[in-house]
Amino acid sequence: MRSPSPIRAAFRQALAEAWAGGAGALLPIGFFAGAAMLVPFTVGSEANQLAAIGTGVLWVALALASLVSMERLFQADLEDGTLELWAQEDCPLFLIATAKILAHWTVSGLPLVLLTPLIGITLQVPADQLLPAMLAYGLGGLAFFFWGGVAGALAASVPRGGLLIALLALPLFVPTAIFGALAAEPGAAGPNILFLAASTLFALAVAPFAASAALRLAVD
Amino acid sequence: MTDGLLIEADGLGAVRGERMLFSGIHLTLRPGEALVLRGPNGSGKSTLLRLLAGLSQPSVGEVVRSRPHHWLGHRDGIKPHETPRQHLRHWGRAWGSQKKADEIAGHMGLERPMDVPGRLLSAGQRRRTALGRLLLVDRPIWLLDEPFNALDADGRTLLTELIASHRESGGGIIAALHGDAPFKASREVVL
């Protein structure tokens, strides 16, 4: 095993880039909050109705918000030549891709999860459900970001590939969304949260290799 | 098979779309040598360099690199928010360099724009920053795509000196160039 310094360097660079891009890192958070806030206006503010759909709405908003700034994650590296340098490292490209996705998740994904209880309250999600649901959103969000990373890598060489990313990533979100929604239901967590965790582990295991293969194609 | 060869490429050919870009390229690079790739625009100089760097796979033939290499493509690899100081520190960390980024930046004549973000640097300043990368760690092979582009007279002299001292210390260089080579080339490969 070689020294992990290229991985650390890639992580740091991605963090710095996220914060440097004119608060681009905050876009998913704004999108998430904005989309969830529209729901009481569109379906009515009746508490029972909102409580019934609240957790589901949060899943949809989380899934979409996780794709918001995915377009630039690898595309910027391709355009400025950084990807060429990473592709020639001894350090495997899938580890670099993982570092970049994790950095993006730290800046944009983790805040979404931390925000879910707050938005959950406004959607009348019962208070005792908020924290267990947060665990589910944390696991699911991580899977969304890794699948989104694969889509971002595939679309890296496509100009304005944002829509393509959504088309590629959303089908991959389905298992996570199914188990996630079940796990967030009151009293039904048990085995469903384990299935959700399994689907996240699957994403963590597969997505880095898929993303790195896509990046090799993009850089060729 | 590598008896002192830094790079050996045998029967290289590349196809772009439906067109044969080049074929039957055989080249070797030994320590101290500088190879110059020549050819009109679109003849495949950059493609050949990318094959040698392992960025693309050749349609036919094979490339054997026996030592680590540095790459300088036509894109400098500098982030819009990154200053020359940050850029050199970043790659210094990634490569485990013992050298001081500030000293290298000084050597490359980047004292003034040391803390200017990449998007505000001139093309020549970006190129100097990218060339500074080559000094972070010793790698015997330098693959350079039009390295003199965007450099002023001063910068050209500086790069010529870097190339000379790299060759003296046993390194090899393959560079795609148009125009006169400011250094003495060991061989030319015409595409």
Side-chain angles (χ1 to χ4, degrees):
Chain A
M1 184 68 197
R2 298 182 65 87
S3 95
S5 45
I7 306 164
R8 274 209 303 271
F11 185 83
R12 285 178 70 145
Q13 190 186 40
L15 279 189
E17 195 173 15
W19 284 115
L26 297 175
L27 277 178
I29 301 163
F31 179 90
F32 182 59
M37 284 299 98
L38 273 181
V39 173
F41 296 110
T42 51
V43 303
S45 55
E46 214 175 299
N48 291 339
Q49 210 171 0
L50 276 179
I53 61 166
T55 54
V57 166
L58 277 175
W59 275 109
V60 174
L62 180 66
L64 297 179
S66 68
L67 294 176
V68 167
S69 50
M70 207 51 94
E71 187 179 353
R72 294 300 295 166
L73 182 61
F74 294 112
Q75 195 174 57
D77 276 10
L78 182 65
E79 284 169 2
D80 60 33
T82 309
L83 193 56
E84 284 177 358
L85 293 171
W86 285 133
Q88 294 174 67
E89 281 303 293
D90 287 339
C91 175
L93 193 54
F94 77 88
L95 290 176
I96 302 292
T98 306
K100 285 188 64 77
I101 295 171
L102 276 179
H104 183 49
W105 177 80
T106 309
V107 172
S108 302
L110 198 54
L112 294 182
V113 176
L114 298 178
L115 207 61
T116 50
L118 199 64
I119 297 178
I121 290 172
T122 66
L123 292 175
Q124 305 285 347
V125 176
D128 56 339
Q129 259 185 61
L130 288 172
L131 286 181
M134 202 169 146
L135 173 67
Y137 293 128
L139 284 169
L142 196 56
F144 289 161
F145 270 73
F146 270 80
W147 292 131
V150 175
L154 280 166
S157 53
V158 181
R160 289 177 298 282
L163 187 60
L164 180 63
I165 289 180
L167 289 178
L168 290 169
L170 289 175
L172 296 170
F173 285 5
V174 170
T176 306
I178 292 173
F179 292 122
L182 289 174
E185 259 174 32
N192 289 318
I193 196 99
L194 294 180
F195 279 118
L196 174 64
S199 88
T200 301
L201 284 176
F202 180 69
L204 294 182
V206 173
F209 295 98
S212 119
L215 292 176
R216 291 249 173 244
L217 280 180
V219 88
D220 188 352
Chain B
M1 72 176 275
T2 51
D3 51 321
L5 289 182
L6 295 174
I7 288 191
E8 183 173 21
D10 204 11
L12 279 190
V15 177
R16 270 291 134 107
E18 298 282 297
R19 204 162 62 91
M20 193 75 175
L21 215 44
F22 52 76
S23 63
I25 299 279
H26 178 86
L27 60 82
T28 54
L29 183 71
R30 290 185 176 77
E33 288 186 331
L35 242 66
V36 173
L37 310 182
R38 292 202 177 274
N41 291 341
S43 59
K45 300 189 291 291
S46 297
T47 307
L48 178 53
L49 266 182
R50 296 175 75 82
L51 294 183
L52 294 173
L55 281 171
S56 322
Q57 293 307 310
S59 311
V60 287
E62 65 164 348
V63 176
V64 180
R65 257 179 287 112
S66 57
R67 306 294 305 278
H69 70 281
H70 270 304
W71 168 258
L72 184 78
H74 68 98
R75 282 176 289 216
D76 292 309
I78 296 160
K79 298 261 159 211
H81 70 271
E82 237 175 16
T83 68
R85 191 200 303 267
Q86 288 169 340
H87 180 79
L88 293 172
R89 281 202 184 145
H90 162 69
W91 287 105
R93 271 197 296 263
W95 294 338
S97 165
Q98 304 298 320
K99 307 223 176 89
K100 291 209 161 48
D102 297 16
E103 278 171 23
I104 289 175
H107 184 62
M108 295 308 299
L110 291 164
E111 292 93 349
R112 270 199 323 137
M114 191 89 102
D115 293 308
V116 177
R119 63 173 183 281
L120 301 177
L121 294 174
S122 76
Q125 289 169 332
R126 276 211 298 277
R127 183 109 295 213
R128 282 169 185 248
T129 310
L131 285 167
R133 264 196 331 255
L134 308 184
L135 306 178
L136 284 169
V137 286
D138 286 329
R139 293 182 176 178
I141 305 171
W142 286 7
L143 301 174
L144 315 173
D145 196 356
E146 307 281 5
F148 290 96
N149 271 10
L151 289 178
D152 56 14
D154 236 27
R156 294 171 69 88
T157 315
L158 188 60
L159 176 54
T160 312
E161 285 167 12
L162 290 183
I163 288 176
S165 73
H166 179 61
R167 290 172 70 180
E168 270 163 32
S169 61
I173 287 164
I174 301 183
L177 289 181
H178 46 223
D180 294 331
F183 55 88
K184 195 173 172 311
S186 318
R187 281 190 304 286
E188 292 202 347
V189 176
V190 181
L191 293 176

